[in-house]
Every structure is written in C-alpha cells, then in structure tokens.
Amino acid sequence: MAELIAACNWQKVPNGVHEAASRFPLAISPYYASLMQRLDPGDPVFAMSVPQGRELIDPPFLSDDPLEEERHTPVPGLVQRYSDRALLISTTICASYCRHCTRKRVTGQRESVISSSRLSQAVAYLRQNPKIRDVIVSGGDPLTLSEEALEKILGAIRSVKSVEIIRIGSRTPVTLPMRITDELTCMLRRYHPLWINTHFNHPQELTPQSSEACERLADAGIPLGNQTVLLREINDDSRVLETLFRGLLRIRVRPYYLHQCDLVRGVEHFRTPMARGIEIMNVLRGRLSGLAIPTFVVDVPNGGGKIPLLPCKIVSSDSSSYLLRNFEGDHFCCPEPLHFL
Ligand SMILES: *Cc1c(COP(=O)(O)O)cnc(C)c1O
Ligand code: SF4
C-alpha cells in the first residue's frame, strides 16, 4: 500500500484546469451557475461543476469504470448487476455535468440518445428475463430528453408485462428545475408506478425553483428519493447534511442513499475516509427524524454492488441476549426469546 501511495505522487498537484476540462465533460446550466455564491472551489456549487487541476491526481486505484458496468452489460445500454433490477442508459446528456460523476466514461463524452434499435434490443432482453421487475432509466439524465423521446422509452418498458416499477434517476430538479413542466409531469403520470431519484448534495441547491420542481413531481403522484454523494469539503459535515436532509423532507423528497464517492478517475480530491461517513450517520441518528436518514452505501469496486455501512451498534452478544449501544453511547441489554434458548 505504501508503494501505491508513493506511486500516485499525490502531492504534485498539477495546475491543469484546461486539461481537466478537456478530459472530463463540462457544461453548467445558467441556472446552476447562478447558485454559486463565490467563484472559487470553496463554494460547493463551484466545486461540483467547474473543472479543477486537482482532477488530474490519478492514483492507480481509480479507473474509468470502477463499478465494472461494461462487464455487466448483457445488451448495449443495459446494465444488470442484480437479478431483479436493470439500469438503462437512455442518454449520455445531462443539464450540467458533475465533476464527481461516476459515469464520466459515458456522460457528455459524445452527446447522444439511445437509438431505436438499442431500445428494441433492451426491451427484448427484459422480455426474455421476466425476473427483472424494476427498471431504472438513467444516463446521463433522462429528463433532458424531449417528452416524445422519453415517452417512447417509458412506453417500450411498460410494454413488458413482467416489469412492475420504473425508476428515473435525474438531477434536473437540482440543475435545471424549470425542466419539470406541467407537460412533462402530465406525460410521466401515465407510466405509474413510477419513482424518481434525484441528486441533491448541498443545502445551497435547495431553492424556490428546485422546491417547485419537486413538489410538481410529487403532486403527480411520483414518490421522490434522493441520492447524495459524500464529497470532501462540500458536504462531509453532519451539520451540512442535517440541513440538506431536513430541507429535502420539506419538499417531499425522501433521502434514500448517501454514497461513498466511487473510485472513478478525477475524484481523488473529493474522497473522504470511510469512517467519516459512518461517524456522520451515527450523529444524524440522534438528531434527525428517521425519515430524513438515508442509508450510507459503498458501491464496491469490481462490480460487487452496493454495501450498506452502519455504525456498529452491537457491543456483544450471546445466545441469551444482545448488548447494544445507542446514539448517545449508552448500553442496553435486549434479551432473546426464551423459546430459542
Ligand atoms: C444502484 C444500482 C441499482 C439499484 O440499486 P438499489 O439498491 O435497488 O437502489 C441497480 N442497478 C445498478 C447497475 C446499480 O448501480
Ligand atoms: S447528473 Fe448524474 S449522470 Fe449527469 S454528470 Fe451528474 S452525476 Fe453524472
């Protein structure tokens, strides 16, 4: 490990903003840019969207496809890592590109939308694999598509009887909330049961416009979840996340996952120690309504899937009882049922 760390030469931070901008996709919507309060990397919105030389720090454990999605792609554009779920890459376009994106090998490199023939292939695969009951329409950002293009995709998925729910992953409520129009929600509500997971990372992203976007989706009967990425010096702080998660509940969005930053190229400066996330989760448990508390997960390298990480609450156990620790650090004994002794 020491050699590994020496090899990445992390202290030599190149000042290569131009190189970072050409290596990873760049676009910032005017609305999202307007949320910057200062034009320096100390501003969370700036840090999440403006290229920085630090993105060129390139230790060998980072890669373009850390989750090995390419290896789990049975037909082009469809990623399947679990037997009951599949993820469709519907477009490579986003309203704004995130510097921390895990799918930078796909997003924005070449802006394109899934072709009809790829969509038919994906649908044929879903038909042949009736165990898949949950299809995640992802990308890129599916809500950057026109209503017609998105409806074609949703209609094709809905034509497969074994698919029970459709989920859409979209950051437009955060980066382009004016995209959530009545025309869009009117179309979406024809494809229920439909769930949307969005991606707020910082309270600065909670604005009257993003609230209105989420409320409009919720009013169309779409349950909303949120996936936050834990990012160093942006939101790796229990006060910041407490404010964010409370704010999300107020706009009817349920915090779903807090993600440990994936091992993708260009994010070394965003990464936090695993213990940081666990400690934050421990603090939040005592401070926040359970509804506002997401699951902290690590999507492990080599396509192992998501693993939830919890603060360890079991002090000791034997066949007759468990000794548990609560959020204040106090210990409590919970007897097991007599029947099982
Ligand atoms: C995250 C992910 C899912 C969904 O996982 P859930 O835990 O059900 O939200 C499905 N497929 C892939 C490829 C994923 O990365
Ligand atoms: S919106 Fe999502 S897919 Fe698009 S750049 Fe950001 S993290 Fe990546």
Side-chain angles (χ1 to χ4, degrees):
M1 199 62 196
E3 290 96 305
L4 197 72
I5 290 164
C8 44
N9 220 350
W10 64 275
Q11 278 151 319
K12 261 206 216 150
V13 180
N15 183 23
V17 173
H18 289 286
E19 200 184 332
S22 62
R23 192 171 298 182
F24 305 119
L26 168 61
I28 310 171
S29 71
Y31 162 81
Y32 196 59
S34 79
L35 305 187
M36 293 175 195
Q37 294 172 355
R38 285 178 308 151
L39 296 181
D40 68 61
D43 182 90
V45 173
F46 184 101
M48 284 187 275
S49 51
V50 177
Q52 288 151 60
R54 296 185 295 176
E55 290 170 28
L56 302 177
I57 305 169
D58 197 20
F61 47 76
L62 299 186
S63 72
D64 290 329
D65 182 16
L67 311 179
E68 295 196 0
E69 291 187 330
E70 301 292 342
R71 194 161 63 78
H72 293 85
T73 294
V75 291
L78 197 76
V79 183
Q80 188 182 12
R81 278 192 296 156
Y82 303 100
S83 61
D84 71 320
R85 282 155 280 175
L87 183 149
L88 181 74
I89 305 209
S90 61
T91 171
T92 65
I93 303 170
C94 300
S96 276
Y97 293 106
C98 309
R99 305 318 296 170
H100 56 274
C101 179
T102 203
R103 219 169 271 142
K104 284 189 287 237
R105 68 176 197 288
V106 171
T107 52
Q109 297 290 6
R110 203 166 17 85
E111 294 198 321
S112 65
V113 175
I114 191 168
S115 64
S116 299
S117 67
R118 274 199 174 189
L119 181 60
S120 319
Q121 257 185 294
V123 166
Y125 181 83
L126 295 176
R127 251 192 212 106
Q128 287 152 15
N129 292 275
K131 274 195 187 150
I132 301 174
R133 296 159 188 281
D134 173 358
V135 176
I136 301 161
V137 182
S138 181
D141 194 322
L143 298 188
T144 60
L145 296 168
S146 67
E147 277 85 12
E148 298 71 41
L150 183 56
E151 181 152 29
K152 194 173 141 197
I153 295 169
L154 297 177
I157 298 170
R158 267 284 164 252
S159 75
V160 183
K161 292 284 167 285
S162 44
V163 173
E164 293 172 1
I165 65 163
I166 300 179
R167 288 196 245 180
I168 292 178
S170 174
R171 189 147 151 86
T172 55
V174 185
T175 54
L176 196 68
M178 48 295 290
R179 171 65 189 104
I180 313 302
T181 58
D182 287 331
E183 292 72 30
L184 178 70
T185 49
C186 216
M187 183 278 282
L188 290 176
R189 66 190 312 161
R190 289 201 287 274
Y191 294 91
H192 275 310
L194 181 75
W195 297 62
I196 290 184
N197 264 335
T198 185
H199 175 179
F200 284 86
N201 284 334
H202 193 275
Q204 210 165 307
E205 297 172 329
L206 295 167
T207 64
Q209 292 94 327
S210 61
S211 309
E212 198 192 320
C214 292
E215 283 171 6
R216 194 168 277 180
L217 291 167
D219 283 343
I222 303 170
L224 298 170
N226 184 70
Q227 308 199 171
T228 296
V229 183
L230 189 60
L231 300 167
R232 186 160 75 97
E233 290 172 3
I234 294 178
N235 62 12
D236 63 334
D237 177 289
S238 60
R239 292 280 168 202
V240 170
L241 287 179
E242 178 184 349
T243 308
L244 175 65
F245 297 154
R246 272 190 206 290
L248 286 172
L249 279 196
R250 274 199 306 272
I251 59 171
R252 297 153 75 188
V253 179
R254 165 86 156 96
Y256 177 54
Y257 280 146
L258 174 66
H259 290 267
Q260 173 74 357
C261 198
D262 289 335
L263 295 167
V264 68
R265 283 221 166 85
V267 303
E268 188 57 22
H269 62 294
F270 284 138
R271 299 202 323 115
T272 50
M274 216 72 97
R276 184 106 196 93
I278 297 172
E279 173 54 24
I280 290 175
M281 294 311 295
N282 196 39
V283 172
L284 292 184
R285 180 52 65 185
R287 265 201 225 149
L288 266 184
S289 144
L291 265 183
I293 299 184
T295 306
F296 178 45
V297 289
V298 189
D299 220 327
V300 290
N302 309 112
K306 296 178 183 73
I307 300 180
L309 289 184
L310 299 163
C312 187
K313 296 301 185 186
I314 303 174
V315 180
S316 65
S317 69
D318 60 30
S319 60
S320 66
S321 68
Y322 270 69
L323 187 63
L324 304 179
R325 185 188 302 111
N326 79 350
F327 65 97
E328 292 162 315
D330 297 332
H331 291 184
F332 299 86
C333 181
C334 301
E336 291 283 78
L338 286 175
H339 180 74
F340 288 86
L341 284 181

